[in-house]
């Protein structure tokens, strides 16, 4: 199990606290420092069953600078979104937990973190 975190994020700290309380075996990835490649983002999206715009923090300054709200959200623009997430990792929703069964969850709630633990 791996968890992508930003240490400054309260949701990430809460998820780590819950994982520790449950005695989970996990690896922390500070994704702003250890930036995921486009291939890793594609893999996580497949595991999540989501599209890149589903995990994009559209209120971030970088999103506004890029004009993401005006980008199309379809298969033809998918790679453009993934490239933006790789080039601007702060846009990636957090925390993302990869579960043991090959799936992943966005662990913004205790329920989502527990869901990842149960997989």
């Amino acid at each position: 199990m791996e968890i992508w975190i930003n240490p400054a994020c309260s949701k990430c700290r809460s998820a780590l606290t819950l994982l520790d309380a449950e005695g989970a075996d996990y690896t922390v990835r500070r994704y702003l420092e250890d930036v995921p490649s486009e291939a890793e983002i594609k893999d996580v999206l497949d595991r999540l069953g989501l599209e890149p715009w589903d995990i994009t923090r559209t209120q971030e300054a970088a999103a506004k600078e890029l004009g993401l709200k005006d980008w199309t959200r379809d298969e033809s623009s998918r790679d453009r979104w993934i490239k933006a997430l790789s080039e601007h990792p702060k846009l990636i929703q957090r925390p993302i937990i990869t579960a043991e069964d090959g799936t992943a969850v966005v662990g913004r709630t205790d329920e989502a973190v527990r869901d990842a633990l149960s997989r």
Side-chain angles (χ1 to χ4, degrees):
M1 179 180 293
E2 182 177 75
I3 181 170
W4 293 7
I5 68 156
N6 172 351
C9 169
S10 63
K11 299 283 186 190
C12 292
R13 292 192 306 271
S14 177
L16 291 173
T17 298
L18 182 55
L19 290 174
D20 288 341
E22 296 293 328
D25 182 22
Y26 64 92
T27 302
V28 171
R29 179 172 187 170
R30 294 176 179 222
Y31 71 92
L32 297 179
E33 298 162 17
D34 182 9
V35 179
S37 67
E38 290 180 37
E40 289 174 306
I41 292 170
K42 285 179 182 180
D43 178 61
V44 162
L45 287 167
D46 288 345
R47 294 175 79 164
L48 287 166
L50 298 174
E51 294 296 338
W53 45 85
D54 295 327
I55 65 162
T56 301
R57 298 173 56 82
T58 57
Q59 297 305 310
E60 291 288 334
K64 292 176 181 174
E65 289 170 21
L66 292 169
L68 289 182
K69 70 177 182 148
D70 297 324
W71 288 17
T72 56
R73 297 176 181 213
D74 60 23
E75 186 60 33
S76 67
S77 62
R78 190 172 197 265
D79 288 342
R80 182 181 186 201
W81 281 84
I82 291 168
K83 182 177 174 66
L85 292 174
S86 181
E87 291 177 353
H88 306 277
K90 196 168 190 175
L91 296 176
I92 299 172
Q93 189 60 261
R94 62 200 182 240
I96 293 177
I97 303 169
T98 56
E100 296 297 324
D101 69 352
T103 62
V105 299
V106 178
R108 296 196 52 79
T109 64
D110 287 352
E111 293 78 24
V113 175
R114 285 190 183 94
D115 181 36
L117 285 167
S118 70
R119 295 180 181 198

